C-alpha cells in the first residue's frame, strides 16, 4: 500500500512566513528557513513554499530564499509563485527544489504545463489550484487566481482534468472556503478531483486536527494532506499527527 504523505506549506510574503484565513488577513509568523529546518527535524514528508504575492505583483521567485530553505531539507521540496517561464522553472530547480507549482500562470498560459513537463518531466510539474464553491459552475466549484483574488471562467473539475492531460504530474487542491479555518478539509471537492484524475491529489485548506487529515485521506481519497496552521501554532508536531493517523490504520511514514 502506498503511504499517505504529510506536507507542510510555508506561505511566504516579503521573505517571511505568513498565515491567513480564506486567503485574507495574513499575519507574519516566522522565518521560513528556520521553520523549514524544524519541520524537517520533525519528519515531514515534503515541504511546499508558496510566494503568495509574486504572481499578483508580477514578481519573480526569490531564488536566494528558496536556496536557503532547500539547504535545510533533504525531502521533496516544491516551490510556487511567480513562475512564468521555463527559465523560471529551471532557476528554481537549480536553487534546490524538486518540483514547481504552477497556479495563476498555468491558467494564463496552459502551454507552460506542457513545456515544463516535456523539459523537466511530469513529476516536476504540480498544478496548484485555488477553488471555491460556486453554484453556477458545472461541478459546483470555480477556479480563482492571484491568490484567490480573481475569479476565472474555469470549472474546477474540468481544469483539473485538462491540466493532467497537458502534463501535470500532481495536483495541490487549495480549497478557499476552508483555508485557515481549521474546521476540516473540503471533502466533497477533494473526492471529486481525486476520483477524476490518475495523478496524486494533495488536499489543502482546513486541517485542524489529525481527525481532519484522517477524513480527507480516507473519505476524501486524497493521496496527501497539506497542513499549515495546526503545526505553525505549535499545537501539533508532524510526529504527533503521524502517530494519530497510524492509530487509525492510515499508512504513513513513521
Amino acid at each position: 500500500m502506498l503511504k499517505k504523505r504529510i506536507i507542510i506549506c510555508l506561505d511566504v510574503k516579503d521573505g517571511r512566513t505568513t498565515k491567513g484565513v480564506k486567503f485574507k488577513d495574513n499575519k507574519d509568523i516566522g522565518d521560513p528557513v528556520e521553520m523549514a529546518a524544524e519541520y524537517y527535524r520533525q519528519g515531514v514528508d515534503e515541504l511546499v513554499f508558496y510566494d503568495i504575492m509574486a504572481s499578483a505583483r508580477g514578481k519573480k521567485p526569490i531564488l536566494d530564499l528558496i536556496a536557503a530553505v532547500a539547504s535545510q531539507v533533504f525531502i521533496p521540496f516544491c516551490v510556487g509563485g511567480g513562475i512564468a517561464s521555463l527559465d523560471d522553472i529551471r532557476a528554481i530547480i537549480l536553487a534546490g527544489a524538486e518540483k514547481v507549482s504552477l497556479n495563476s500562470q498555468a491558467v494564463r498560459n496552459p502551454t507552460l504545463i506542457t513545456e515544463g513537463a516535456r523539459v523537466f518531466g511530469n513529476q516536476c510539474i504540480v498544478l496548484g489550484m485555488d477553488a471555491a464553491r460556486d453554484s453556477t459552475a458545472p461541478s459546483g466549484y470555480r477556479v480563482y487566481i492571484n491568490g484567490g483574488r480573481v475569479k476565472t471562467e474555469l470549472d474546477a473539475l474540468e481544469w483539473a482534468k485538462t491540466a493532467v492531460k497537458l502534463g501535470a504530474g500532481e495536483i495541490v487542491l487549495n480549497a478557499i472556503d476552508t483555508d485557515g479555518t481549521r474546521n476540516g478539509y473540503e471533502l466533497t471537492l477533494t473526492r471529486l478531483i481525486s476520483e477524476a484524475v490518475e495523478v496524486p491529489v494533495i488536499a489543502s485548506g482546513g486541517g485542524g486536527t489529525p481527525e481532519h487529515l484522517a477524513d480527507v485521506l480516507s473519505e476524501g481519497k486524497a493521496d496527501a494532506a497539506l497542513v499549515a496552521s495546526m503545526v505553525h501554532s505549535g499545537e501539533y508536531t508532524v510526529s504527533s499527527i503521524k502517530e494519530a493517523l497510524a492509530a487509525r490504520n492510515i499508512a504513513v511514514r513513521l
Side-chain angles (χ1 to χ4, degrees):
M1 179 188 285
L2 279 176
K3 288 186 165 60
K4 302 288 189 177
R5 290 172 286 153
I6 307 303
I7 301 172
I8 289 179
C9 178
L10 301 175
D11 285 334
V12 177
K13 179 182 178 184
D14 301 324
R16 299 283 293 175
T17 307
T18 180
K19 195 70 195 83
V21 177
K22 299 187 179 181
F23 288 32
K24 296 174 183 173
D25 303 322
N26 287 72
K27 294 179 174 62
D28 184 319
I29 58 170
D31 176 81
V33 180
E34 292 174 3
M35 293 173 75
E38 172 57 26
Y39 293 137
Y40 177 67
R41 281 193 293 271
Q42 289 183 18
V44 72
D45 297 311
E46 295 188 22
L47 196 69
V48 175
F49 173 113
Y50 286 140
D51 188 326
I52 61 171
M53 294 303 295
S55 289
R57 292 172 173 172
K59 300 278 189 182
K60 294 291 186 185
I62 311 169
L63 295 175
D64 56 347
L65 184 57
I66 292 165
V69 171
S71 73
Q72 299 298 312
V73 299
F74 302 94
I75 49 175
F77 174 39
C78 180
V79 172
I83 302 167
S85 67
L86 288 180
D87 286 342
D88 291 338
I89 297 174
R90 183 176 290 107
I92 287 169
I93 291 170
L94 289 173
E98 283 75 30
K99 307 177 189 180
V100 296
S101 179
L102 305 177
N103 191 321
S104 301
Q105 293 296 347
V107 171
R108 295 189 187 100
N109 177 21
T111 58
L112 186 58
I113 299 174
T114 307
E115 287 300 295
R118 179 181 63 80
V119 174
F120 303 103
N122 300 67
Q123 79 287 346
C124 276
I125 306 301
V126 179
L127 176 73
M129 181 167 67
D130 301 335
R133 283 188 288 272
D134 184 338
S135 59
T136 66
S139 69
Y141 297 89
R142 187 168 299 283
V143 175
Y144 285 71
I145 58 172
N146 284 10
R149 293 169 184 79
V150 178
K151 185 177 182 177
T152 74
E153 294 300 310
L154 293 171
D155 176 76
L157 178 60
E158 286 308 309
W159 176 228
K161 293 194 285 190
T162 297
V164 171
K165 284 178 187 166
L166 289 170
E170 194 166 66
I171 295 174
V172 174
L173 177 58
N174 306 303
I176 295 172
D177 298 301
T178 55
D179 175 72
T181 63
R182 300 183 66 181
N183 291 325
Y185 294 88
E186 228 289 8
L187 299 181
T188 304
L189 175 61
T190 306
R191 186 169 56 249
L192 188 71
I193 303 294
S194 296
E195 290 179 341
V197 298
E198 295 181 352
V199 301
V201 173
I202 300 163
S204 171
T209 67
E211 289 71 27
H212 293 153
L213 279 81
D215 289 342
V216 82
L217 294 170
S218 52
E219 191 182 332
K221 301 193 175 178
D223 298 276
L226 188 146
V227 297
S229 302
M230 64 187 288
V231 289
H232 296 338
S233 68
E235 189 174 347
Y236 295 95
T237 64
V238 176
S239 55
S240 71
I241 293 169
K242 287 186 173 185
E243 286 162 9
L245 292 174
R248 285 172 164 258
N249 295 316
I250 292 174
V252 291
R253 296 182 184 93
L254 291 170

